[in-house]
Each structure stands twice: as C-alpha cells, then as structure tokens.
Amino acid sequence: MTDRTTTQGRRGLARYGPILLIAVVAVAGAFLLRDRIGFDALAQNREALIAFRDANYLLTVAGFCLAYVAIVAFSLPGAAIATLTGGFLFGLFPGVLYNAGSATIGATLIFLAAKHGLGDRLAARMDGAGGAVRKLRNGIREDETSYLFIMRLIPVVPFFVANLVPALMGVSLRKYVATTFLGILPGSLVYTWVGAGLGEVFARGETPDLGIIFAPHILGPILGLAALALLPVVVKRLRRKD
C-alpha cells in the first residue's frame, strides 16, 4: 500500500468516520435499548433517582445532560422518556432548559458529522446542478430560517431527518443551532410539563399521555407558530406573482 493510498484512507476515515459511527451506534441502540428505556424503567427507579438528585444535584444535572446528548447524537431510543425525566427531576424550569439545551447539542453533533462527511460536497453539487434540484436549493436558501423553524415546529417531521437535511443543504452552524433550540422549545415545554407532573401519575399507577402534543389546545398554538414561520415564504411568493 502506497503512502498516497494510506493518506487517502486516513482522510476518508476522518471525513466519514463520525457519521458512520453515529449510524452504527444508532442501529445497535435500536435493537439493544428499545425495551430497556421506557416509562416502566423510570417508574421503577424514581425513588432512587430523586434520592440521588437530592444528594448530588449538580452531578445529576451533568449526568442527565450528557445522557440526553448521547441519546440525541446517536439517535438512540428514549428521547421522549428523557424529556419526561428532565421534567420529573428538575421541574418545568429549569428542566425545560436542560432538555432543550441537551437536545440542541446532540442535534448539532449530528449536523456537524453529516456536514463534515457529506454536506459540503453535496451542497456544492446542488449549487452546480440545474433544473428542479437547483430551484429547490435556491428556494430553501432564500427562506432558510422559515423552513428550519417549520421542520422543528411540526411534530410529523422526524427529528433525525430535521437534523440531517440542513447539513446536506449547506445551512450555517449558527443559524442551525438558533432555529433548533427555539424550534424545539414549544414541544420540549409540553413534555417537560408532563414530566413535572409524573409524581401524581406514579401515585395513581397510570402512564402519561405522550400524545398530548397532538391535542387541539396544544397542537393549535404550535401550528400557529409554524404558520408564522411560513408567512415570509408566502409573502415573497405573492410579491413575485405581482
């Protein structure tokens, strides 16, 4: 093997290694952890978690945030349970900040890995392409902030997809981080609020309703925010027709 081949191999590993690692851990986690991270596990360990939090608050915060970042960064199962746990352990506030902040950091790690491995090259190819591909890229580029907010606010867009698409479209890191944190904040607020009330749910022996985010009084305001984010796009299109 020549020195040139070895150098190219190292460069390829450095470029594609992070995104491949995320993919491998995500697949492994989907099989190994899907039955271990759930509401039952939280219910069974709630007293131990509270006791540890009361004795080691800062350590609990650090451990929780690191675990949440890992769950999001490697697309592991249990993000919803982690959000409930944040509310259960730390209350609505500052629990919502721990939840949204950790999720944003984890999402940013995926974004950076994808952008480093694939994003820059793919974005350059899309810029050089013609026809529908170029029109799509130009349309998103003109209203990046609006599109990014919409992807985060609408619950039907998978979180992993919303992490990858901006990287493949060449979105800047600063804009990605800002729209991610603010965009997931409403949903994080809802689930953290549910988590903060888990004490009563445990006392009744019930399971929290994670579908509450689709309730009209919850989903309505979130869709309203999505509509506001879409408004600049609609206005620009109407002006072009005029």
Side-chain angles (χ1 to χ4, degrees):
M1 184 179 292
T2 64
D3 293 339
R4 182 178 180 181
T5 302
T6 302
T7 301
Q8 289 177 344
R10 290 176 178 174
R11 289 178 179 175
L13 182 61
R15 175 176 290 274
Y16 302 112
I19 193 66
L20 289 176
L21 176 62
I22 289 174
V24 170
V25 175
V27 173
F31 287 98
L32 298 176
L33 299 177
R34 59 183 176 181
D35 296 327
R36 297 189 177 185
I37 301 179
F39 178 75
D40 290 339
L42 176 59
Q44 293 171 5
N45 296 282
R46 64 185 186 276
E47 294 182 0
L49 288 172
I50 291 176
F52 187 83
R53 177 206 63 191
D54 292 343
N56 309 274
Y57 185 82
L58 293 180
L59 183 59
T60 304
V61 172
F64 169 79
C65 291
L66 286 174
Y68 202 140
V69 168
I71 288 173
V72 175
F74 292 106
S75 299
L76 299 174
I81 296 300
T83 309
L84 292 177
T85 303
F88 175 66
L89 290 177
F90 310 112
L92 181 59
F93 183 85
V96 66
L97 297 182
Y98 297 155
N99 286 334
S102 300
T104 300
I105 294 173
T108 301
L109 293 177
I110 296 180
F111 172 84
L112 291 174
K115 188 176 180 65
H116 177 68
L118 304 170
D120 290 337
R121 290 185 176 184
L122 184 57
R125 289 183 179 181
M126 294 184 70
D127 286 339
V133 174
R134 187 169 186 175
K135 290 182 179 179
L136 174 63
R137 178 67 188 98
N138 290 340
I140 294 178
R141 177 172 290 174
E142 289 179 4
D143 300 287
E144 277 184 346
T145 301
S146 295
Y147 281 111
L148 290 173
F149 269 126
I150 292 169
M151 281 196 299
R152 293 302 187 188
L153 287 169
I154 299 179
V156 296
V157 179
F159 196 68
F160 183 73
V161 173
N163 293 336
L164 284 180
V165 170
L168 303 181
M169 288 294 182
V171 173
S172 68
L173 176 61
R174 180 180 298 180
K175 185 176 293 185
Y176 174 83
V177 172
T179 55
T180 296
F181 180 79
L182 296 176
I184 67 175
L185 198 54
S188 296
L189 186 64
V190 172
Y191 282 124
T192 305
W193 179 29
V194 173
L198 279 183
E200 297 181 2
V201 175
F202 288 141
R204 296 194 299 266
E206 299 176 353
T207 300
D209 180 16
L210 298 185
I212 189 175
I213 197 169
F214 294 103
H217 65 285
I218 299 294
L219 185 60
I222 293 177
L223 292 179
L225 290 174
L228 287 176
L230 187 61
L231 186 59
V233 179
V234 176
V235 171
K236 286 184 179 180
R237 298 286 171 84
L238 292 176
R239 286 180 177 176
R240 287 176 182 174
K241 291 183 179 180
D242 294 338

